[in-house]
């Protein structure tokens, strides 16, 4: 069984995530443990540098439940 957690993220020009907000639409769980783990991972994510000062998008984390 899988659980999906989505985050709306903002990324600066250096590729660092500057904000991550839980997005209930599209997520299949709101369990605090999973949302917290996904947010921690989202804030550590790094992307390719860009000329754009600020970029946004979603990051999806899928947890396999055992």
């Amino acid at each position: 069984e899988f659980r999906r957690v989505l985050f709306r993220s903002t990324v600066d020009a250096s590729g660092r995530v500057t904000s991550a907000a839980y997005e209930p639409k599209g997520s299949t769980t709101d369990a605090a443990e999973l949302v917290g783990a996904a947010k921690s991972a989202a804030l550590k994510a790094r992307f390719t540098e860009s000329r754009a000062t600020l970029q946004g998008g979603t990051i999806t984390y899928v947890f396999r439940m055992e």
Side-chain angles (χ1 to χ4, degrees), residues 30-44:
D30 62 357
E33 301 87 8
L34 298 180
V35 172
K39 183 171 187 171
S40 179
L43 291 171
K44 292 176 186 172

Side-chain angles (χ1 to χ4, degrees), residues 3-53:
R3 299 284 188 259
R4 184 175 52 227
V5 180
L6 273 69
F7 272 85
R8 288 220 172 273
S9 301
T10 304
V11 179
D12 67 16
S14 68
R16 293 182 172 271
V17 174
T18 57
S19 69
Y22 172 68
E23 177 58 58
K25 188 174 183 179
S27 293
T28 59
T29 184
D30 62 357
E33 301 87 8
L34 298 180
V35 172
K39 183 171 187 171
S40 179
L43 291 171
K44 292 176 186 172
R46 298 294 177 259
F47 296 89
T48 306
E49 290 184 15
S50 171
R51 292 184 191 156
T53 306

